[in-house]
Amino acid sequence: MPEHKIYKMNLQPRVLELLGPSLYTNIYFVLSELIANAHDADAENVFISIQEGIIVVEDDGIGMDVNDFNNKYLDVGRESRKTSDEDKTEKGRYKMGRKGIGKLAALSISNVIRVMSIKKGSLEKAGCEMSTSVPESKLLPAIPDEEISFEYNQKGHGTRIEMVSPVANIPRMLKTFKKNISKVFPSQIDDFTIHIAWYDEVVELEDPVENLLEGMDTLKVFLDEDEVVDSDSVDAQLKKYYGDFATIPAVPIDKKADFKVIQSPIRIPLELTKKDGEVANFVLEIKGWIGTFKQRQASNKALDFSENFISIFSKRKLGMYNVMDQITSNRMVEMYIAGQFHIDLFEETELRDMALSNRQGYQSADLRYIKAMEVLKRELNEAGNRKNRLKRYKDNKKDVKQIQKKKAKEREFTRDMRGFVENLGQTVGVETAFTPEVKSGIQTEMKRLYGLKSEVDESKKMVLISHTSSDKLFADIIEELLLESGVQPAKILYTSSEHRAARIPYPHEVYDYLRDFFVDSYSEVKPFVIYLCSQEFNSSWNTVLEAGAGWVTKKDHSVVTVNCYEEANDPLEKGKMVPNMRISDISNERAINLNASNLADVIKYVCKKEFDMAIDHTKITNLAKTRLIEAYHNSTGLE
């Protein structure tokens, strides 16, 4: 007669009924707990089976007998790591579990689960059914030994958990499922492999982090010093730990703009109170990675998770999926960033447990959490800055190509004009040469050159704001007034502009651009120059060169002086007085109005002469007045 096995839950039934369904909000959090249990059972393989009407997690760990069931597994809330001596498994792995409630995870998505196990060594079988409805006796239905077996596990020992009729959102594609598993269990652990039985297909989960890095264009990784090989390139080290990452560009423009960064873990010394009341020194060590995607990641409910996240893991177990909303309010930055950080001090056995019951957050008042959030906020901001630098680098490459195309057109026009003039001169010297065919050819060539000239002229910038970097505050006002009047950024040449189209792409200099496209050009189109004169103007080499280019081209210009610069003279026509933008006394409303009106006059003149556009003089005057007052406050620090 078979032995009658008794399984008794050590928990009030009402607590299980209330706690089970609400403990975990997502199937992947559930699976993460079950994978962690397999890890702590010293399994080498864990299988996640997705089939119609059932989800199974099966491992080849040490398994359980009836005593293990009753004294450990069914003793809900039994802390598995009370002292540092209990930190590791028999294999020497650091335990992921601690609270003793992860075993209830499966009840969050299934009202009935079947837990079956075979003990390593004795091969004793044990198993019972669990549900959210537990009788007052706390006795659970036993599973007969003949029904206890494994489908994927070939070792003959381990544990199998069946979630019957689960209520869970399973994605249609295996790739999506694997990626989501990687988000909640990213660790690549020696002698521990995650397998996924996806209907009729069984696959291994490759490097979890590599699944997440697909589509990224910047990355920063925190590695232990003993993992970094100085002789390896950054690419080689990233490939060693995070797979093929060759799509990230090399260092552009300057050495500070490196988009692939490896550094040592961040370490912060802390003085903390242990569970026994003793104050001791600890180190908050933060490892992991943070990167940005090439494209903005749209929200997709079918994925269960946002593609943009900053997760926290402790002892390789997920503690909080996304802390993004706690460290930034910049939604545009969030749409490009993802990261995973490992902070083992959050699960230090000697310290009080700071994890929330559902393993989806931490107590925000804990000093460890506060200091970690300060670091993550800084790293998120730096990641956003790297993304911006990369965007500028890519934009610059595009702009350089555009400049090269324009220069090619300019050279073509200059070459053909010289050839045309030379050939025409030779033809004029021969009376018999003006045949109808020759005249027709001349007319055709003139039409072609005129079309090429129009194309060259159309691509040129029409207004140059000549300034020193120290006067950017005021030069920005000039640019804003031009833009508000309808001038396109591409028609403005302003090297300090926030608008990409108005700047000269690196490594071109403004005087090289002026020489190539205006001084040495056959085109009659020359830029209208607005000189922003100040005390620093005469001592700036760049502005002197720009003034020299203006003098050579004899192009029309206007002069605006900054603040209290007394030498309010035209730099190209000595002795000619120009408007003086005096904003040192904002209490003098008449002076402010006059300066604003003078600025509007300059903008009106430029727009009419270069673009044949009329402006709303009153509107531009009012805007100029507002900006001049703001500039005064910004330059003096007054409120």
Side-chain angles (χ1 to χ4, degrees):
M1 183 174 179
E3 178 187 357
H4 180 66
K5 298 177 180 178
I6 297 175
Y7 301 91
K8 188 174 183 179
M9 175 77 74
N10 185 15
L11 181 72
Q12 289 298 319
R14 179 61 177 164
V15 175
L16 185 60
E17 185 177 339
L18 293 172
L19 190 60
S22 60
L23 189 59
Y24 296 87
T25 59
N26 185 295
I27 181 178
Y28 300 100
F29 293 143
V30 171
L31 294 176
S32 174
E33 286 288 353
L34 301 181
I35 294 171
N37 288 346
H39 169 274
D40 289 355
D42 280 338
E44 294 182 0
N45 298 278
V46 59
F47 300 85
I48 303 170
S49 172
I50 306 295
Q51 309 295 334
E52 288 293 340
I54 188 170
I55 297 175
V56 176
V57 175
E58 184 176 297
D59 68 59
D60 57 7
I62 58 175
M64 298 179 286
D65 55 24
V66 176
N67 288 332
D68 293 327
F69 257 91
N70 286 302
N71 298 326
K72 296 179 181 179
Y73 191 79
L74 296 178
D75 187 5
V76 178
R78 175 182 174 272
E79 189 173 354
S80 61
R81 288 188 286 117
K82 294 181 180 179
T83 66
S84 56
D85 294 335
E86 298 175 324
D87 268 353
K88 295 184 179 181
T89 68
E90 291 183 9
K91 273 191 173 182
R93 295 175 179 173
Y94 279 102
K95 292 179 181 178
M96 295 182 177
R98 182 173 186 176
K99 290 183 180 295
I101 59 174
K103 63 202 70 175
L104 302 180
L107 290 174
S108 297
I109 61 172
S110 178
N111 288 329
V112 177
I113 62 173
R114 290 164 52 87
V115 184
M116 296 168 279
S117 194
I118 300 177
K119 180 78 170 180
K120 183 178 181 180
S122 68
L123 299 182
E124 180 182 338
K125 295 183 176 182
C128 66
E129 286 188 1
M130 297 173 61
S131 73
T132 54
S133 299
V134 179
E136 290 298 324
S137 66
K138 304 180 186 178
L139 296 178
L140 305 178
I143 298 176
D145 284 3
E146 56 269 24
E147 295 182 18
I148 298 175
S149 62
F150 301 124
E151 184 176 358
Y152 307 100
N153 174 9
Q154 302 297 315
K155 292 191 176 181
H157 56 80
T159 300
R160 175 182 172 92
I161 299 176
E162 298 177 348
M163 289 156 273
V164 182
S165 300
V167 180
N169 183 21
I170 305 295
R172 297 179 181 178
M173 298 179 62
L174 173 59
K175 180 179 179 181
T176 302
F177 186 79
K178 289 167 62 179
K179 192 169 186 178
N180 285 343
I181 290 293
S182 299
K183 291 176 181 177
V184 298
F185 203 92
S187 299
Q188 197 169 19
I189 303 171
D190 292 339
D191 299 325
F192 186 70
T193 305
I194 300 173
H195 307 261
I196 299 174
W198 188 260
Y199 300 98
D200 297 328
E201 183 181 4
V202 180
V203 298
E204 287 186 13
L205 184 66
E206 307 92 349
D207 182 357
V209 173
E210 189 174 353
N211 286 327
L212 300 179
L213 297 185
E214 182 181 355
M216 285 196 162
D217 55 5
T218 76
L219 181 68
K220 184 176 184 179
V221 180
F222 300 87
L223 292 176
D224 282 324
E225 289 82 351
D226 57 355
E227 295 178 312
V228 177
V229 182
D230 292 336
S231 60
D232 284 352
S233 66
V234 172
D235 282 340
Q237 293 188 52
L238 288 177
K239 188 168 184 177
K240 178 179 179 182
Y241 293 99
Y242 292 99
D244 190 0
F245 214 63
T247 56
I248 295 183
V251 180
I253 304 178
D254 60 71
K255 293 182 179 180
K256 294 181 180 178
D258 192 352
F259 305 131
K260 292 181 280 190
V261 182
I262 294 179
Q263 77 165 55
S264 301
I266 297 169
R267 296 184 176 94
I268 302 173
L270 294 179
E271 191 176 82
L272 302 171
T273 302
K274 299 195 296 184
K275 289 188 296 186
D276 60 9
E278 179 186 349
V279 177
N281 293 320
F282 293 87
V283 175
L284 182 74
E285 183 180 75
I286 301 176
K287 298 162 59 174
W289 61 271
I290 186 170
T292 61
F293 292 103
K294 296 176 186 176
Q295 303 295 330
R296 185 172 65 181
Q297 302 297 296
S299 176
N300 188 338
K301 293 182 179 179
L303 297 180
D304 287 294
F305 294 111
S306 167
E307 290 296 282
N308 305 109
F309 58 90
I310 294 183
S311 299
I312 297 178
F313 293 80
S314 189
K315 299 290 180 71
R316 292 179 168 176
K317 188 174 182 180
L318 179 67
M320 195 168 183
Y321 177 67
N322 197 358
V323 300
M324 194 93 75
D325 60 347
Q326 299 188 33
I327 56 178
T328 183
S329 57
N330 188 335
R331 300 303 175 193
M332 288 303 296
V333 171
E334 290 182 28
M335 291 179 181
Y336 289 94
I337 289 180
Q340 292 180 331
F341 289 93
H342 297 260
I343 312 174
D344 286 350
L345 192 64
F346 281 12
E347 288 288 347
E348 171 56 49
T349 305
E350 293 185 341
L351 298 173
R352 70 182 183 87
D353 190 355
M354 59 182 284
L356 301 182
S357 297
N358 60 2
R359 309 295 303 185
Q360 295 175 44
Y362 293 100
Q363 296 175 20
S364 59
D366 193 288
L367 182 61
R368 291 169 285 176
Y369 185 83
I370 293 172
K371 292 298 182 182
M373 290 303 102
E374 291 174 358
V375 171
L376 300 194
K377 182 176 182 178
R378 184 181 71 237
E379 292 303 326
L380 184 143
N381 290 335
E382 288 186 8
N385 291 337
R386 277 193 296 276
K387 180 67 177 180
N388 289 333
R389 289 200 303 269
L390 178 59
K391 183 179 185 303
R392 289 197 295 270
Y393 167 64
K394 291 180 177 179
D395 288 344
N396 188 78
K397 288 180 68 176
K398 294 178 183 177
D399 292 342
V400 167
K401 288 182 179 179
Q402 286 296 108
I403 289 288
Q404 291 171 344
K405 288 181 180 179
K406 290 179 181 180
K407 288 181 72 171
K409 284 290 183 183
E410 191 78 45
R411 286 194 296 267
E412 179 186 357
F413 177 58
T414 300
R415 182 194 66 228
D416 291 357
M417 276 296 298
R418 287 173 178 167
F420 175 74
V421 171
E422 183 178 336
N423 291 336
L424 186 62
Q426 294 174 354
T427 302
V428 170
V430 183
E431 294 184 6
T432 58
F434 274 100
T435 63
E437 290 80 8
V438 171
K439 291 180 180 179
S440 176
I442 291 174
Q443 291 173 348
T444 300
E445 181 64 6
M446 287 182 68
K447 288 181 180 179
R448 187 185 74 83
L449 288 172
Y450 181 78
L452 186 56
K453 178 181 182 299
S454 298
E455 186 178 351
V456 169
D457 289 349
E458 181 63 28
S459 68
K460 293 199 173 187
K461 295 181 178 294
M462 304 296 289
V463 182
L464 166 63
I465 302 176
S466 180
H467 69 294
T468 64
S469 59
S470 59
D471 296 326
K472 176 175 167 32
L473 183 67
F474 302 97
D476 284 345
I477 297 176
I478 300 292
E479 182 191 36
E480 183 180 1
L481 297 179
L482 288 169
L483 295 175
E484 189 64 30
S485 299
V487 180
Q488 297 300 311
K491 291 298 180 182
I492 301 172
L493 178 51
Y494 173 35
T495 55
S496 298
S497 177
E498 301 299 325
H499 297 275
R500 165 190 163 201
R503 298 193 300 266
I504 300 297
Y506 179 91
H508 297 276
E509 297 288 351
V510 64
Y511 30 84
D512 293 332
Y513 183 89
L514 292 172
R515 182 192 63 229
D516 292 339
F517 290 96
F518 296 104
V519 178
D520 294 340
S521 174
Y522 261 83
S523 171
E524 296 177 354
V525 174
K526 308 297 180 185
F528 187 102
V529 185
I530 300 177
Y531 293 99
L532 194 61
C533 294
S534 67
Q535 196 67 44
E536 291 78 17
F537 187 91
N538 289 341
S539 59
S540 170
W541 182 243
N542 283 355
T543 52
V544 169
L545 288 173
E546 290 169 13
W551 182 82
V552 170
T553 60
K554 302 295 184 183
K555 183 59 179 172
D556 202 358
H557 63 276
S558 287
V559 176
V560 176
T561 58
V562 171
N563 229 348
C564 296
Y565 183 51
E566 296 299 334
E567 296 180 15
N569 294 315
D570 190 317
L572 305 186
E573 297 182 41
K574 286 298 181 182
K576 178 182 176 182
M577 297 301 294
V578 298
N580 193 7
M581 193 164 43
R582 307 175 69 90
I583 64 168
S584 58
D585 184 7
I586 62 173
S587 64
N588 189 338
E589 186 173 357
R590 181 179 177 277
I592 290 291
N593 289 336
L594 180 60
N595 287 326
S597 181
N598 287 340
L599 270 181
D601 287 342
V602 171
I603 301 302
K604 177 182 177 180
Y605 181 69
V606 173
C607 289
K608 181 62 179 176
K609 191 170 190 309
E610 297 300 324
F611 305 99
D612 195 25
M613 293 191 312
I615 71 167
D616 185 335
H617 194 278
T618 301
K619 176 183 176 182
I620 297 303
T621 299
N622 290 335
L623 177 60
K625 179 180 178 180
T626 300
R627 295 296 180 257
L628 288 174
I629 293 173
E630 290 175 355
Y632 172 72
H633 286 314
N634 290 331
S635 62
T636 61
L638 295 178
E639 294 297 331

